[in-house]
Amino acid sequence: MKRRSPAVHDDDSRLFREAIGDVRPVVVAETAPERPRPEPVPFMRDADEAAVPADSLLFDYDPAELEVGEELSYLRDGYPPKLLKQLKRGQFSIQAEVDLHQMNAAAAQLTIADFLAECRRDGIRCVRIIHGKGLRSKAAGPVLKGLTDRLLRRRDDVVAFASARPMQGGTGAVIVLLKG
């Protein structure tokens, strides 16, 4: 609800003008137009780009060793190929994981069996097994990676598995989909 201001009487108006005295209007000065701002110069990016050739000489590595081995991939017969594609794209949420680093083959085999049995018991469907890339393996290649591949293919409760996406471990880990 809007309030109406009471009408101002002539006496009140006269008293107000006498109290404040003479007034003059405020003149607004025109402001000068802004000068155009200069284009930004990416100094840091240019410095980073210039440093790349020198920095690349500092690292002693072979780019071929960054991803050792082939990607693992498996889909049990009777399941749609779309399921494996979804698994490779990372469309399943990983609910549990186990890391086999520093284990020998016998310990890794037992750990995988116990881990998958526990996951099945708890109703977990999607897990990650980190087997490593086998960078310290001898000429025979990655031991735990091959072991993991063989064990998972033999298990009836494994529906599919695929090497993890790069941010999840790449070819050093495998994402496994278990029967529900």
Side-chain angles (χ1 to χ4, degrees):
M1 185 188 291
K2 230 179 179 182
R3 290 187 184 174
R4 292 184 182 240
S5 58
V8 179
H9 296 314
D10 289 338
D11 290 339
D12 292 335
S13 180
R14 184 181 49 76
L15 282 173
F16 176 75
R17 293 197 190 282
E18 287 175 5
I20 62 167
D22 289 337
V23 292
R24 63 180 175 176
V26 175
V27 179
V28 178
E30 286 189 36
T31 58
E34 281 191 35
R35 283 186 266 160
R37 294 184 181 201
E39 289 292 318
V41 179
F43 290 114
M44 198 65 216
R45 186 193 70 194
D46 292 344
D48 287 345
E49 291 292 326
V52 167
D55 286 348
S56 66
L57 297 176
L58 296 176
F59 297 110
D60 187 24
Y61 69 90
D62 180 9
E65 290 181 356
L66 292 179
E67 287 287 327
V68 174
E70 298 295 319
E71 288 190 7
L72 300 181
S73 179
Y74 171 77
L75 178 66
R76 183 167 299 286
D77 289 337
Y79 289 91
K82 179 182 176 185
L83 191 66
L84 186 59
K85 284 182 183 178
Q86 289 174 327
L87 190 62
K88 287 181 178 182
R89 289 182 185 150
Q91 294 179 338
F92 289 92
S93 177
I94 298 171
Q95 299 168 300
E97 71 178 26
V98 66
D99 191 344
L100 306 178
H101 279 103
Q102 307 299 323
M103 291 186 191
N104 61 23
Q109 186 172 359
L110 184 60
T111 300
I112 291 172
D114 290 345
F115 174 68
L116 293 179
E118 183 180 321
C119 290
R120 282 289 309 254
R121 192 172 46 249
D122 295 343
I124 294 174
R125 290 214 47 221
C126 185
V127 299
R128 174 174 43 200
I129 299 175
I130 303 168
H131 47 69
K133 296 181 181 182
L135 295 177
R136 290 180 284 151
S137 296
K138 306 289 186 245
V143 175
L144 297 181
K145 182 175 184 175
L147 173 75
T148 303
D149 183 41
R150 287 189 305 276
L151 288 175
L152 293 177
R153 288 176 187 271
R154 292 183 195 147
R155 292 186 61 99
D156 290 333
D157 57 349
V158 173
V159 172
F161 63 85
S163 289
R165 297 174 53 90
M167 67 282 257
Q168 296 172 327
T171 58
V174 66
I175 309 300
V176 183
L177 193 60
L178 301 171
K179 286 183 181 177

